[in-house]
Amino acid sequence: MSTGKIDRFQFHDYYQVDELLEENHILARDAVREWVKQEVSPIIEEYSDRAECPTHLFKGLAEIGAFGPSLPEEYGCGGMDEIAYGVIMQELERGDSGVRSMASVQGSLVMYPIYRFGTEAQKRKYLPKLANGELIGCFGLTEPDFGSNPAGMLTNMKDDGDAWILNGSKMWITNSPVADVAIVWGRDEEGKMRGLIVDMELKGVSAPEIKGKWSLRASITGELVFEDVRVPKEQSLEVTGLKGPLSCLSKARYGIAWGAIGAALDCYDSALRYSLERIQFDKPIGQFQLTQKKLAEMITEITKAQLLNWRLGTLANKGKASPAQISMAKRNNVAIALDIAREARQIHGGMGITNEYPVMRHMMNLETVLTYEGTHDIHLLITGHDVTGLNAFK
Ligand code: TGC
Ligand code: FAD
């Protein structure tokens, strides 16, 4: 119905936040923006409609440097800073949250743990091939009965000399049905949480696809099932405890804080243009105060979030962005993006529910983004814990 539509997106920078960026950030952002216009926008409604992942984009994402942009060049990665990583995620999610997810999982949840907790041999073996898209990875933390509370996980590994015997199952795993490797978290016999790099070809590994999603339809999601899988010990990551997976989540949540603003910008841009073109009662609907209220509030929230992201990025570049600060930005930015998508849908009237415009797709996608990488309420509790010192999770 909508293949080949022209992408008319215009960037909005109400407070001239661009002046805070360096030339390399702008270059990276503009290159990714152009790629999204050429490669993602013309096809994304079709793929979303068919609930199919555009897997051919993995190669293009690698070519534009979207996999591990802030990891070192010596491993074939981008060697850029955290703000460059952020603006790349923003542009990808302007295209589609699922496309940003393809990059988030690969870069922040697969390459980052190998970089941070892997041996030198593991880094040399995996990072260049993950960076160039030769290998696709996934990250298995969530289980059917343990989502917000990963500490309760049942996946386990038994010591068998030179290998671990892995058993258990993971749920809601982005990219698992198409992955070559999985970063899997489980407990050893002493109850210590450990991470393994699991080759998906190993005997006893399966990854059935989860169908029927009304959100993130252009992203592929599956389970991970391990039945007596013999994983060589050399595939272990050098970290124990929940801080292993949670530090990867911090990296990915940071990217989502930026990404969500991409989706919000696309919805705002579409709503603004529509409000100037659509005539009712002999006037453009943008002339009515109630439409202006919606648009004014949208650009205000986007501007606040852009500033929050920039400051978070400068802290991240100095290694000073705390997990709680990242939680605040992820929670705020996804929530305002979802509100903006809903308001933009209203401005488009009936047309807003069709795939002639991107807003309903963004709105449905953002329902997932609000939940994964820590739910909206879990991030609120993280802030509550941080400011009071009192833990309200349990
Ligand atoms: P808690 O006792 O608070 O912490 C255990 C240890 O971890 C440390 N830590 C962190 N380290 C780095 N980054 C973070 N964000 C960290 N948060 C905590 C903490 O300091 C402690 O270290 P140590 O040395 O004292 O052991 O753990 P808890 O069991 O009370 O849990 C706290 C809670 C609820 C906040 C945590 O479990 C949580 O964040 N739950 C949400 C789960 C979640 O976000 N799952 C995401 C799954 S992956 C995903 O959704 C991918 S979607 C990808 C895509 O498609 O884009
Ligand atoms: P639950 O934890 O059951 O939460 C249900 C509700 O209860 C939520 O509203 C929650 O906020 C609330 N709640 C829970 N505990 C508390 C509490 N203490 N106080 C107050 N409220 C509470 N996981 C991975 O490991 N890897 C992936 O690649 C991945 N990709 C995903 C892709 C998609 C499309 C989706 C939908 C999820 C993905 N996830 C992935 C899983 C995601 O991280 C979890 O869905 C999320 O952490 C929430 O877990 P849950 O769905 O089990 O919800």
Side-chain angles (χ1 to χ4, degrees):
M1 177 171 166
S2 53
T3 306
K5 275 190 302 205
I6 299 163
D7 183 343
R8 293 196 284 158
F9 175 72
Q10 296 292 317
F11 183 54
H12 300 274
D13 182 16
Y14 202 72
Y15 261 43
Q16 295 159 36
V17 180
D18 264 11
E19 287 184 10
L20 299 170
L21 302 181
E22 293 168 11
E23 199 186 337
N24 66 315
H25 302 143
I26 309 251
L27 284 173
R29 185 196 62 197
D30 290 352
V32 178
R33 182 172 299 161
E34 200 45 41
W35 182 81
V36 166
K37 283 195 177 194
Q38 300 290 335
E39 305 294 333
V40 179
S41 301
I43 61 150
I44 197 63
E45 301 294 351
E46 283 285 337
Y47 275 85
S48 200
D49 194 30
R50 294 200 301 265
E52 183 182 337
C53 178
T55 48
H56 66 281
L57 293 180
F58 277 118
K59 216 58 200 159
L61 283 163
E63 279 161 19
I64 59 169
F67 296 154
S70 59
L71 298 180
E73 283 173 286
E74 64 172 304
Y75 299 114
C77 307
M80 291 187 276
D81 70 3
E82 298 300 326
I83 293 183
Y85 161 46
V87 294
I88 290 172
M89 295 301 125
Q90 174 188 286
E91 293 311 312
L92 292 179
E93 195 148 357
R94 208 279 295 168
D96 189 76
S97 301
V99 175
R100 195 267 307 132
S101 255
M102 290 162 90
S104 292
V105 170
Q106 183 90 344
S108 303
L109 297 179
V110 179
M111 295 168 69
Y112 177 73
I114 294 174
Y115 170 67
R116 172 102 185 259
F117 305 120
T119 62
E120 194 54 35
Q122 290 168 349
K123 291 182 211 184
R124 300 265 165 224
K125 178 175 173 188
Y126 288 107
L127 291 179
K129 288 186 180 169
L130 288 161
N132 72 18
E134 216 175 306
L135 292 178
I136 299 303
C138 67
F139 177 87
L141 180 66
T142 306
E143 298 190 355
D145 294 328
F146 297 95
S148 297
N149 179 26
M153 70 173 59
L154 300 175
T155 296
N156 61 84
M157 50 187 90
K158 292 201 169 56
D159 195 331
D160 190 36
D162 59 354
W164 295 106
I165 306 296
L166 180 66
N167 277 288
S169 62
K170 300 287 177 182
M171 180 79 176
W172 294 118
I173 307 305
T174 301
N175 294 344
S176 72
V178 296
D180 303 292
V181 285
I183 302 293
V184 180
W185 301 93
R187 289 196 185 276
D188 68 13
E189 287 150 291
E190 292 170 24
K192 283 189 194 148
M193 195 176 292
R194 292 180 180 275
L196 299 176
I197 309 171
V198 178
D199 180 343
M200 294 290 288
E201 298 275 287
L202 287 179
K203 190 163 168 271
V205 179
S206 57
E209 186 177 347
I210 297 172
K211 302 266 197 187
K213 293 182 298 169
W214 287 115
S215 172
L216 231 61
R217 287 169 65 81
S219 168
I220 188 162
T221 316
E223 297 173 46
L224 279 172
V225 182
F226 307 105
E227 289 171 307
D228 289 328
V229 181
R230 201 177 153 79
V231 184
K233 284 231 175 107
E234 70 211 31
Q235 297 296 91
S236 311
L237 295 174
E238 294 180 331
V239 63
T240 53
L242 192 55
K243 64 178 182 300
L246 289 181
S247 41
C248 308
L249 295 186
S250 282
K251 186 90 175 156
R253 290 166 177 174
Y254 169 87
I256 290 174
W258 284 84
I261 298 315
L265 278 163
D266 206 37
C267 291
Y268 169 74
D269 178 62
S270 186
L272 177 61
R273 192 171 318 106
Y274 192 84
S275 77
L276 300 176
E277 291 169 357
R278 175 72 176 164
I279 308 293
Q280 287 295 290
F281 301 96
D282 303 322
K283 289 178 187 169
I285 58 170
Q287 200 169 329
F288 300 120
Q289 286 183 353
L290 288 174
T291 309
Q292 290 191 7
K293 178 175 187 289
K294 290 183 177 66
L295 292 167
E297 285 177 351
M298 285 182 199
I299 193 63
T300 305
E301 290 306 320
I302 286 171
T303 303
K304 283 152 67 179
Q306 284 171 325
L307 290 164
L308 194 61
N309 278 344
W310 176 80
R311 178 61 186 150
L312 188 67
T314 59
L315 288 173
N317 277 344
K318 294 182 203 154
K320 284 169 61 181
S322 72
Q325 286 170 330
I326 293 170
S327 280
M328 181 184 281
K330 190 270 182 184
R331 178 175 185 273
N332 178 76
N333 294 4
V334 177
I336 66 113
L338 184 53
D339 285 346
I340 286 168
R342 288 174 179 150
E343 293 291 74
R345 212 287 305 149
Q346 284 208 64
I347 289 177
H348 287 79
M351 289 309 293
I353 71 157
T354 72
N355 67 1
E356 289 297 306
Y357 295 89
V359 290
M360 189 86 175
R361 177 173 47 81
H362 282 307
M363 188 174 107
M364 294 194 300
N365 283 343
L366 287 162
E367 290 290 348
T368 286
V369 184
L370 195 78
T371 287
Y372 70 20
E373 296 279 3
T375 69
H376 186 66
D377 285 346
I378 288 295
H379 287 295
L380 175 129
L381 295 178
I382 290 173
T383 305
H385 186 192
D386 198 47
V387 298
T388 64
L390 304 172
N391 184 338
F393 295 110
K394 345 184 178 181

